[in-house]
Amino acid sequence: MIEVYICEDNVKQLNALVEYVNKYLLIHNADMMLARATTEPNLLLKNISNKHRRIYLLDISLNSQINGIELASKIREHDMNSKIIFVTTHVELAMTTFRYHLEVLDFILKDNPEEMQLRINQVLQLAEERINQDIHISPEYIRVKSGELERALRIKDILFIESSATPHKLTVHLFNSQVSYYGTIKDAEDLAPNFFRCHKSFVVNKDHIQSINKKTRELHLTDGKTIMCSISAARILSKT
């Protein structure tokens, strides 16, 4: 899921941006969530990571020790894959961002509030498309279609894939969630190099196998879950 972060020092304008983003999420049913909206840039800096799935809406003139351009620069030090959008009255500073090599996706001016919702809608849709394009060529993710949404799932977060009672329907088990999609357990094994079909109903991510119990034919995973394993699969996994 794509996470949206907002940093704006004016509380009224911050609340307006939150409203615009939430309206977009409600109407478009995007694979996106508003993760944090704050007036404090340091709160954003505490949570930077190179997850490839982040959008930042930043004011340039922040009432803080650092401005929006410096904040974006610090974000880029740790996250080259996020999409950064400036929401500002200082269009004259646009050229400054090129000097910092910030790769800003867009500038949205505050001086026309009547167009703000439209501009936010457009840029969030564009950011989502760009992020999904990036992930499409990334070996760190797999893509599955869940309902009407195409989901990008990070391979390292996947514990195992399980056949469901519904024919040709699979459930991907992640650390904190599950995603269902239509496919075959045979094809699921080929989604990533570390995936292994350990049972007729399970494909396991070998990176998350903590131990193998050959007697009970069970695999104990890093999150505490246990799944079934065939005798031949247990023998193969014990040698890897």
Side-chain angles (χ1 to χ4, degrees):
M1 180 170 287
I2 299 172
E3 299 175 344
V4 180
Y5 291 80
I6 304 173
C7 190
E8 163 65 64
D9 66 316
N10 183 297
V11 175
K12 183 178 180 180
Q13 292 176 349
L14 177 67
N15 291 336
L17 285 172
V18 169
E19 182 179 352
Y20 296 143
V21 171
N22 282 332
K23 281 184 178 179
Y24 175 84
L25 300 182
L26 180 64
I27 295 172
H28 292 82
N29 192 30
D31 184 24
M32 195 180 294
M33 64 173 287
L34 180 57
R36 169 159 283 181
T38 179
T39 60
E40 298 293 335
N42 288 327
L43 291 180
L44 261 62
L45 294 176
K46 290 181 180 179
N47 295 299
I48 297 175
S49 68
N50 197 29
K51 287 189 173 182
H52 306 271
R53 302 279 288 171
R54 292 189 170 192
I55 300 170
Y56 292 92
L57 294 167
L58 308 178
D59 184 17
I60 288 184
S61 180
L62 296 172
N63 186 23
S64 180
Q65 293 178 339
I66 62 174
N67 61 36
I69 293 176
E70 292 168 328
L71 173 59
S73 182
K74 290 181 180 295
I75 290 171
R76 278 286 177 255
E77 289 177 9
H78 303 279
D79 185 357
M80 287 302 299
N81 301 287
S82 62
K83 304 306 175 186
I84 295 175
I85 300 112
F86 282 124
V87 184
T88 181
T89 56
H90 298 278
V91 68
E92 72 278 3
L93 295 176
M95 294 303 296
T96 304
T97 65
F98 291 101
R99 215 165 53 233
Y100 283 81
H101 305 289
L102 299 178
E103 298 183 17
V104 177
L105 185 62
D106 201 358
F107 285 85
I108 298 177
L109 297 181
K110 299 177 183 177
D111 57 3
N112 196 340
E114 294 180 359
E115 291 187 3
M116 284 285 286
Q117 182 70 69
L118 176 61
R119 291 296 308 279
I120 292 294
N121 290 352
Q122 291 172 338
V123 77
L124 289 179
Q125 183 177 358
L126 177 61
E128 183 178 17
E129 291 172 356
R130 294 283 178 84
I131 289 172
N132 286 334
Q133 288 171 1
D134 293 344
I135 290 173
H136 184 69
I137 61 174
S138 171
E140 298 178 6
Y141 289 82
I142 64 169
R143 297 169 68 88
V144 299
K145 189 171 184 180
S146 179
E148 296 181 356
L149 297 176
E150 190 170 37
R151 301 285 300 272
L153 307 177
R154 192 162 57 166
I155 292 171
K156 65 186 293 185
D157 294 334
I158 297 173
L159 296 160
F160 64 95
I161 302 174
E162 176 185 14
S163 296
S164 74
T166 303
H168 305 297
K169 192 171 187 179
L170 305 177
T171 300
V172 183
H173 293 259
L174 301 100
F175 277 100
N176 297 310
S177 63
Q178 298 179 9
V179 174
S180 295
Y181 76 100
Y182 283 95
T184 66
I185 199 71
K186 180 181 179 181
D187 291 338
E189 184 178 20
D190 298 325
L191 291 174
N194 282 336
F195 286 4
F196 180 78
R197 189 173 181 183
C198 60
H199 185 269
K200 64 180 182 179
S201 300
F202 295 102
V203 166
V204 67
N205 184 344
K206 292 190 290 185
D207 289 342
H208 289 301
I209 298 175
Q210 191 170 60
S211 63
I212 303 171
N213 190 323
K214 294 182 181 178
K215 186 175 181 180
T216 60
R217 290 184 291 170
E218 293 177 329
L219 299 181
H220 299 277
L221 307 182
T222 53
D223 73 329
K225 288 188 176 69
T226 300
I227 62 174
M228 296 299 298
C229 180
S230 68
I231 295 175
S232 58
R235 188 181 303 116
I236 294 170
L237 288 170
S238 297
K239 295 178 180 179
T240 59

